[in-house]
């Protein structure tokens, strides 16, 4: 009797060959990724700049504009405490800072530096009062103005909100929120994981004092583990298809793994008062003995969100539109994730020009 074409032994052989081919492909891909990752000469944050003010480890940059200023109102950029500033100035051709400078804006950025053991007791009160407020004063002093625009990316937008609600002078003329959390009622998986009944933030903070960057990094990546641990490889080919340079792709992956420690006191406040108590939208968050009242904010608002952002969900950003007193409000959503608002072809071709045009009309 004639045997079937695929009997059990041959099927097993075919399966083994497929598995071996897959393993070889995966190993080759990983080797190429390792080669691409290893670039000791890869530089980021290349837009020329001057340091115009320092406090401890923080530095206030003013970016050099050789073409002259077309717009009088300066821009101060703020970003998250746990990241490096160069996400806003990644590589030439893929830099929001560079784009705005080329459009004739007077651009500043407050770089937090890298927090270490001696910074473990830094609180949001100190960060707002001693750092952001002084940086704002220096921006206005160097640009010889009495008003400015603030762009806050991620947590930088949250802190910008705290500052703007408490300081009427110098006047904040324009506020740009880029994936910035304001309402923490529904923060996706973060709301579940950080719920007070299951996450003891006091115990975590008392144990570490200074929250290690690895602890924060792993937590963020586990919000979307497939994308963060596996899709790194597929993003390379997608980036190539979209016309993004290999250098820009490597720079982004460098930034993703280049986090910094989180001061323990600020971390406790961030989790307890925002994620667990949602104090900001309730006007119950306290800075230096004063309540942060969102209705005090009357600047023109531009709120940018990513439809697929799993770190800051769109509904976390948009409540500022209703809670502020602003009469000039714009809300735009893009089909991207958290980083896609500042990196990638859509950021370069759509988000950057939108920010520049919106600011130009109000500066």
């Amino acid at each position: 009797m004639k045997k079937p074409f695929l009997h059990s032994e041959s099927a097993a052989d075919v399966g083994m060959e497929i598995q071996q081919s897959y393993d070889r492909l995966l190993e080759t891909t990983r080797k190429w990724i390792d080669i691409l990752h290893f670039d000791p000469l890869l530089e980021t944050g290349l837009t020329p700049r001057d340091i115009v003010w320092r406090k401890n480890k923080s530095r206030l940059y003013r970016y050099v504009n050789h073409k002259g200023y077309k717009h009088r109102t300066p821009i101060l950029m703020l970003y998250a405490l746990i990241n490096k500033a160069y996400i806003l100035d990644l590589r030439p051709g893929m830099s929001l800072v560079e784009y705005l400078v080329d459009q004739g804006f007077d651009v500043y950025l407050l770089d937090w530096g890298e927090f270490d053991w001696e910074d473990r007791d830094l609180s949001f009160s100190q960060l707002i009062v001693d750092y952001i407020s002084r940086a704002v004063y220096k921006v206005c002093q160097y640009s010889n103005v009495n008003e400015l625009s603030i762009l806050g990316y991620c947590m930088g937008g949250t802190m910008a909100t705290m500052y703007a609600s408490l300081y009427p002078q110098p006047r904040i003329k324009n506020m740009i929120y880029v994936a910035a959390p304001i309402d923490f009622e529904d923060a996706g998986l973060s709301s579940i994981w950080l719920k007070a009944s299951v996450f003891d933030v006091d115990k975590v903070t008392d144990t570490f004092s200074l929250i290690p960057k690895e602890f924060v990094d792993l937590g963020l990546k586990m919000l979307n583990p497939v994308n963060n641990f596996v899709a790194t490889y597929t993003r390379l080919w997608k980036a190539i298809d979209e016309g993004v340079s290999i250098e820009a792709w490597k720079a982004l992956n460098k930034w993703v793994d280049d986090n910094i420690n989180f001061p323990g006191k600020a971390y406790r406040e961030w989790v307890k008062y925002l994620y667990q108590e949602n104090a900001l939208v309730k006007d119950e968050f306290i800075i230096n003995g004063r309540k942060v009242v969102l209705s005090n904010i009357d600047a023109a608002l531009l709120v940018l969100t990513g439809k697929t952002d799993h770190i800051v969900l769109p509904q976390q950003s948009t409540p500022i539109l209703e809670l502020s007193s602003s009469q000039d409000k714009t809300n735009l959503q893009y089909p991207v994730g958290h980083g896609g608002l500042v990196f990638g072809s859509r950021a370069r071709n759509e988000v950057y020009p939108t920010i520049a045009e919106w600011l130009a009309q109000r500066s």
Side-chain angles (χ1 to χ4, degrees):
M1 184 175 179
K2 196 172 182 178
K3 292 183 178 180
F5 179 72
L6 283 178
H7 56 79
S8 59
E9 291 182 358
S10 60
D13 292 341
V14 171
M16 184 176 294
E17 289 182 9
I18 292 174
Q19 182 63 47
Q20 290 174 346
S21 298
Y22 171 79
D23 290 341
R24 286 194 298 270
L25 176 62
L26 186 60
E27 182 63 26
T28 301
T29 303
R30 283 173 174 163
K31 286 180 179 178
W32 275 105
I33 294 296
D34 289 340
I35 292 171
L36 290 168
H37 265 302
F38 180 73
D39 189 349
L41 301 180
L42 180 68
E43 293 183 281
T44 51
L46 297 176
T47 304
R49 67 199 182 193
D50 295 318
I51 299 175
V52 295
W53 176 72
R54 292 176 182 267
K55 179 174 174 58
N56 297 331
K57 298 169 183 176
S58 67
R59 292 155 291 179
L60 178 64
Y61 302 133
R62 187 183 191 184
Y63 291 89
V64 178
N65 193 324
H66 295 294
K67 299 179 181 179
Y69 301 116
K70 297 179 183 177
H71 312 289
R72 181 163 174 77
T73 307
I75 307 165
L76 172 62
M77 293 185 171
L78 302 172
Y79 66 100
L81 294 175
I82 59 174
N83 294 131
K84 296 286 184 70
Y86 61 81
I87 186 60
L88 298 172
D89 184 27
L90 202 61
R91 295 282 297 174
M94 191 54 68
S95 163
L96 178 57
V97 167
E98 177 192 55
Y99 187 90
L100 292 177
V101 169
D102 287 345
Q103 295 299 309
F105 289 96
D106 190 3
V107 182
Y108 294 78
L109 184 146
L110 180 58
D111 186 338
W112 299 112
E114 297 191 38
F115 300 116
D116 215 325
W117 183 251
E118 61 273 15
D119 305 303
R120 63 192 181 279
D121 290 328
L122 270 177
S123 66
F124 276 102
S125 289
Q126 292 171 290
L127 293 166
I128 302 302
V129 176
D130 298 337
Y131 289 79
I132 293 180
S133 70
R134 294 187 184 185
V136 167
Y137 175 81
K138 289 295 180 181
V139 167
C140 292
Q141 182 183 51
Y142 277 100
S143 295
N144 193 25
V145 296
N146 59 7
E147 59 185 13
L148 76 159
S149 301
I150 295 183
L151 183 150
Y153 177 50
C154 191
M155 191 191 301
T158 315
M159 290 188 287
T161 301
M162 296 173 184
Y163 169 81
S165 73
L166 297 173
Y167 289 83
Q169 296 294 331
R171 179 179 175 236
I172 300 177
K173 191 173 186 180
N174 309 300
M175 290 271 287
I176 301 174
Y177 291 90
V178 183
I182 302 298
D183 187 346
F184 292 77
E185 181 67 29
D186 179 12
L189 275 179
S190 294
S191 291
I192 298 172
W193 291 355
L194 298 177
K195 190 183 301 182
S197 60
V198 297
F199 187 83
D200 189 339
V201 65
D202 291 323
K203 182 177 291 186
V204 171
T205 307
D206 291 343
T207 300
F208 286 118
S209 293
L210 178 74
I211 309 302
K213 57 186 177 182
E214 295 84 2
F215 181 86
V216 178
D217 178 58
L218 182 60
L220 288 173
K221 288 180 176 177
M222 285 302 294
L223 291 172
N224 192 344
V226 173
N227 187 58
N228 288 311
F229 293 108
V230 179
T232 299
Y233 310 120
T234 59
R235 281 201 301 270
L236 170 60
W237 315 124
K238 182 180 179 182
I240 293 173
D241 288 340
E242 293 179 348
V244 177
S245 69
I246 297 298
E247 287 73 21
W249 178 88
K250 288 191 289 186
L252 177 65
N253 280 278
K254 169 187 170 183
W255 177 81
V256 167
D257 295 325
D258 197 13
N259 295 313
I260 63 177
N261 301 319
F262 201 144
K265 192 167 185 177
Y267 177 81
R268 190 194 307 266
E269 295 171 331
W270 181 254
V271 174
K272 178 177 288 189
Y273 300 130
L274 295 179
Y275 275 101
Q276 296 181 349
E277 298 182 9
N278 203 19
L280 193 59
V281 298
K282 298 175 182 176
D283 292 342
E284 295 175 356
F285 195 88
I286 305 297
I287 293 291
N288 209 28
R290 300 166 61 194
K291 286 187 177 181
V292 174
V293 179
L294 300 189
S295 61
N296 289 341
I297 299 173
D298 61 1
L301 303 183
L302 174 61
V303 177
L304 305 177
T305 59
K307 186 176 182 180
T308 58
D309 190 344
H310 64 279
I311 295 177
V312 178
L313 278 59
Q315 64 264 26
Q316 291 186 257
S317 299
T318 52
I320 191 62
L321 296 165
E322 299 301 325
L323 295 171
S324 70
S325 298
S326 174
Q327 300 302 306
D328 181 354
K329 299 177 283 190
T330 305
N331 177 30
L332 298 173
Q333 186 176 103
Y334 295 88
V336 296
H338 194 67
L341 288 169
V342 292
F343 171 85
S345 59
R346 195 173 294 273
R348 180 181 56 199
N349 298 327
E350 298 181 35
V351 180
Y352 295 178
T354 295
I355 292 174
E357 182 179 351
W358 185 89
L359 276 173
Q361 294 171 0
R362 295 161 177 80
S363 299

